Amino acid sequence: MSLINLLEISSLPCVITLVGAGGKTSLMFELANDFNLSGRKTITTTTTKIFVPTPNQAASVKLTRNEGWLESAAIELAACGNVCIGKSIDTASNKLLGINDDEVFLASRIADITIVEGDGACGFSVKGTEAWEPRIPRFTDIVIYVMGLDCIGKPANELTVHKPSKFLKVTSLNENDNISPASLAILGTHPDAGQKNVPAGSLFYVLLNKSDTLENIKQAHELGLMVSAQGGERLNGVIISGQYKSGRISSKVLPQSDCQD
């Protein structure tokens, strides 16, 4: 099923913030394309920093440091339906620098869907969370915490985890312990990790990404059930997603009580 059909979007405009690790940036642009194809004007942006999008990822990039950026973005949205917004470009790193909450809000008023990357992970599949992270706009409607399943079974150290000391503290693993599904269930639902800074009025999902890297999809469903059991009332759903030969395939994890034999 398409990922956008699994999200409970009750009204427009809608602001979605992606946090965590494991493919957030690629996921953001995929979501934007899918929303755009469904007829919704879509903005992508960041409150941290991301690589400058390619033309295939975003039809246009607008910078808030430039006068008239909002009007220019509105014109581009009307023309192509998909615009990426940042503050400025760091040419040395080819990174698009993030915008503040006020700018995100202004941008979201001219779009149907605004997707924000609110967390940095430097390409890792899991991460620890610093005191100042993540940067989730207070008016976010949906928060999605992403974890990459390709980390399962790998040693928890600086080669596999972004900010490993924070990760180890939350999961109670020791350095070089293998990353287990149980440790990811803790990470995704912990108040200092997955649920950190989630606004009170936001829907909250955990997304288990890269299911295509597992030998058996059953492992992803078992992890999903663990996350569901530990997430409490704050968790609105767990989604399994992966990029297969036929394209991205996503599904929701149903609690065992809802499953049929």
Side-chain angles (χ1 to χ4, degrees), residues 107-120:
S108 71
R109 298 306 94 178
I110 64 171
D112 298 315
I113 304 289
T114 301
I115 309 174
V116 183
E117 182 165 335
D119 211 359

Side-chain angles (χ1 to χ4, degrees), residues 6-79:
L6 296 176
L7 301 176
E8 299 172 47
I9 298 176
S10 58
S11 62
L12 301 176
C14 177
V15 178
I16 301 169
T17 299
L18 304 178
V19 294
K24 296 188 308 299
T25 305
S26 296
L27 191 63
M28 175 172 70
F29 289 118
E30 281 185 42
L31 282 170
N33 182 64
D34 287 347
F35 278 122
N36 197 203
L37 289 175
S38 73
R40 297 168 183 172
K41 294 182 293 184
T42 307
I43 284 174
T44 50
T45 188
T46 180
T47 55
T48 57
K49 56 186 176 181
I50 59 173
F51 282 107
V52 175
T54 66
N56 288 334
Q57 292 175 321
S60 177
V61 177
K62 297 298 177 183
L63 304 178
T64 62
R65 65 177 296 177
N66 294 336
E67 186 176 351
W69 67 271
L70 189 61
E71 293 80 3
S72 180
I75 292 170
E76 289 289 342
L77 269 181

Side-chain angles (χ1 to χ4, degrees), residues 169-257:
K169 181 178 180 180
V170 164
T171 60
S172 297
L173 292 176
N174 295 312
E175 187 175 6
N176 292 319
D177 283 352
N178 286 342
I179 299 172
S180 64
S183 64
L184 294 184
I186 293 171
L187 186 74
T189 57
H190 199 281
D192 290 328
Q195 295 192 25
K196 188 178 180 189
N197 294 347
V198 176
S202 301
L203 297 179
F204 173 63
Y205 294 91
V206 172
L207 191 147
L208 308 177
N209 200 21
K210 304 184 182 181
S211 61
D212 53 291
T213 65
L214 299 177
E215 292 185 7
N216 190 341
I217 192 65
K218 183 179 178 181
Q219 193 173 20
H221 285 278
E222 291 172 347
L223 171 55
L225 290 173
M226 283 191 279
V227 173
S228 293
Q230 295 183 35
E233 294 181 358
R234 189 67 192 88
L235 180 66
N236 294 97
V238 180
I239 297 172
I240 296 170
S241 191
Q243 195 66 260
Y244 296 84
K245 290 182 180 179
S246 59
R248 180 169 292 279
I249 298 176
S250 303
S251 62
K252 263 188 181 176
V253 176
L254 296 176
Q256 288 179 320
S257 60

Side-chain angles (χ1 to χ4, degrees), residues 92-173:
S93 63
N94 193 36
K95 288 289 185 74
L96 184 69
L97 303 184
I99 62 178
N100 61 41
D101 280 14
D102 290 340
E103 291 167 331
V104 175
F105 182 80
L106 289 172
S108 71
R109 298 306 94 178
I110 64 171
D112 298 315
I113 304 289
T114 301
I115 309 174
V116 183
E117 182 165 335
D119 211 359
C122 293
F124 286 84
S125 286
V126 284
K127 65 166 291 182
T129 303
E130 295 285 0
W132 62 85
E133 298 176 305
R135 293 187 57 194
I136 303 174
R138 60 191 178 277
F139 44 83
T140 294
D141 299 293
I142 298 174
V143 176
I144 304 175
Y145 185 80
V146 183
M147 296 185 286
L149 297 178
D150 55 337
C151 70
I152 294 176
K154 294 181 179 178
N157 56 39
E158 62 183 7
L159 298 179
T160 56
V161 179
H162 186 47
K163 301 176 181 176
S165 64
K166 303 294 183 181
F167 174 86
L168 296 174
K169 181 178 180 180
V170 164
T171 60
S172 297
L173 292 176

